[in-house]
Amino acid sequence: MSMSIGEFFLQILFCVGYASILFELGIQLTHLLNKWYPWERSIGKRIVIQFGIHSIITLLLILFFFEIYLRSYFHDDTLYRQVMIIGIILCVLNNAVFTAEYFFHKWNDASVRGLELERLSNQAQLDVLKLQLDPHFLFNNLSAAISLVEDEPKVAISFITKLVSIYRYMLSNKSQHIISLQEELDFIKGYLYLYQTRYGDSIRVEIDEFSQAHKYGVPPLTLQLLIENAIKHNMFSLDEPLTIQILITDRELIAVKNNKSPRLHKGIGLQMGLKNIEQRYLLMNEVKPVIIDKEGSFTVEIPLIKLSDQE
């Protein structure tokens, strides 16, 4: 059947308008579903829902044009089938584009978070290394080791061994974002040993036993920062010792708690350390730490991260 020039141009306008409408519908449908059923809920279901709704709208649009609005102009069955097939193809392509867009943004956000997390982790490592390499810290520990060599050689050997293990731990885990809780606790016991050897019963430590510690993790040096803050910002003596408790709760939390006896001159180290820990948890999409500041005690609850979730 011959086609007039008017019908030819009308079909071209129809095809252009048809494709434009389908694309715009895809954009609006994506915005709507992002609010009603976001990708994070279930990527597979989201693809099925978006493709299904888009296909139904496409079929209704075709029926509207061919059966109601422009029935007298579009009476070619071949064109009808072609438009139907093209509509389905456009639905597939449309959904493929928006799915790819989601994955691209997801990958980009993950990359940005990873870089920021690495920066914070490196900064935390640098801050701790600066702290440990402080001349006063080295002088005090070396002086303690020298005095122990003369009076208690066996204790001196243990003291120096623990000191070396601290540096080994920090250097070997400087590129890690998550470390086994068991490793962190073992490190903390060695770290606290130095202080308890120097200060004796002025510092008392209580650590809960946790048989599942190897199944959970924390950002490296998290506990060390909290314990260092407790020692740095509180006064203590044999008569009024500093008591540090590391407690495991039934809510998959580890809490570092200490009694309070604030020094007269307060520094900013506490706020900086807590802020660094909080930012690292946020970048890992984890629940941020909870701070409980009471009159006689200070507690920070750190969420434990299941190591299987990080694999």
Side-chain angles (χ1 to χ4, degrees):
M1 186 175 180
S2 60
M3 181 188 301
S4 66
I5 296 177
E7 288 179 327
F8 174 75
F9 281 107
L10 183 61
Q11 288 188 6
I12 291 178
L13 289 174
F14 167 76
C15 290
V16 173
Y18 173 65
S20 301
I21 291 172
L22 285 183
F23 186 74
E24 183 62 29
L25 283 172
I27 295 175
Q28 297 304 321
L29 179 61
T30 298
H31 291 326
L32 180 64
L33 288 177
N34 284 343
K35 298 178 181 179
W36 175 68
Y37 198 94
W39 291 96
E40 287 76 10
R41 289 182 61 179
S42 174
I43 295 176
K45 290 181 180 179
R46 169 60 188 268
I47 293 174
V48 172
I49 291 173
Q50 182 155 335
F51 178 73
I53 295 176
H54 204 180
S55 298
I56 292 172
I57 294 175
T58 300
L59 293 175
L60 291 175
L61 189 64
I62 293 172
L63 290 174
F64 173 76
F65 274 106
F66 276 87
E67 301 296 336
I68 301 174
Y69 188 59
L70 298 174
R71 185 175 184 179
S72 59
Y73 293 97
F74 300 114
H75 43 73
D76 188 345
D77 290 339
T78 302
L79 178 62
Y80 183 85
R81 288 193 296 271
Q82 290 175 345
V83 169
M84 185 75 74
I85 294 171
I86 291 173
I88 298 300
I89 293 174
L90 285 175
C91 285
V92 174
L93 291 176
N94 219 322
N95 281 275
V97 168
F98 289 118
T99 302
E101 180 189 35
Y102 165 75
F103 280 110
F104 173 77
H105 286 300
K106 191 76 173 177
W107 169 81
N108 188 57
D109 290 343
S111 298
V112 172
R113 284 197 302 269
L115 290 173
E116 183 65 13
L117 180 60
E118 183 176 357
R119 184 188 70 80
L120 285 171
S121 180
N122 290 338
Q123 184 62 46
Q125 295 285 344
L126 180 61
D127 291 341
V128 172
L129 285 173
K130 285 179 179 178
L131 178 66
Q132 301 297 352
L133 290 172
D134 182 88
H136 294 290
F137 179 86
L138 288 176
F139 175 78
N140 291 334
N141 281 288
L142 290 176
S143 296
I146 291 172
S147 63
L148 288 171
V149 167
E150 297 176 354
D151 301 330
E152 300 179 80
K154 292 183 179 180
V155 177
I157 293 174
S158 179
F159 186 90
I160 295 171
T161 301
K162 297 293 185 183
L163 183 60
V164 171
S165 68
I166 288 174
Y167 288 101
R168 183 185 297 114
Y169 177 86
M170 289 188 296
L171 293 174
S172 62
N173 294 296
K174 63 181 180 180
S175 61
Q176 300 294 322
H177 296 319
I178 300 293
I179 195 72
S180 164
L181 177 61
Q182 186 62 62
E183 292 183 64
E184 183 80 355
L185 288 173
D186 290 341
F187 161 71
I188 286 301
K189 291 174 182 177
Y191 178 77
L192 286 168
Y193 175 83
L194 299 182
Y195 281 101
Q196 289 181 301
T197 301
R198 287 169 52 191
Y199 295 107
D201 291 335
S202 296
I203 297 178
R204 299 176 182 176
V205 180
E206 300 173 9
I207 302 178
D208 278 355
E209 293 296 329
F210 186 40
S211 60
Q212 304 296 313
H214 63 284
K215 296 182 179 180
Y216 293 89
V218 292
L221 303 172
T222 297
L223 301 181
Q224 189 273 344
L225 284 172
L226 296 176
I227 290 171
E228 181 64 33
N229 280 325
I231 296 173
K232 182 178 180 181
H233 295 280
N234 288 281
M235 297 184 294
F236 50 87
S237 64
L238 287 173
D239 295 330
E240 296 182 359
L242 174 67
T243 301
I244 300 174
Q245 296 174 292
I246 300 178
L247 310 170
I248 307 294
T249 73
D250 57 358
R251 295 177 295 152
E252 295 188 348
L253 296 171
I254 184 168
V256 177
K257 180 180 180 181
N258 63 270
N259 58 317
K260 288 173 60 176
S261 181
R263 295 181 184 274
L264 297 178
H265 301 286
K266 295 183 179 180
I268 61 173
L270 176 61
Q271 290 77 13
M272 292 179 62
L274 291 175
K275 185 177 180 181
N276 183 287
I277 294 171
E278 183 176 287
Q279 287 180 330
R280 282 198 281 172
Y281 268 86
L282 289 175
L283 286 170
M284 290 186 292
N285 293 323
E286 298 290 338
V287 179
K288 68 178 184 179
V290 176
I291 300 172
I292 304 172
D293 192 357
K294 296 182 178 180
E295 183 177 352
S297 66
F298 186 83
T299 306
V300 181
E301 293 182 341
I302 301 294
L304 295 177
I305 302 169
K306 287 187 177 180
L307 294 180
S308 59
D309 294 341
Q310 302 298 316
E311 293 177 356

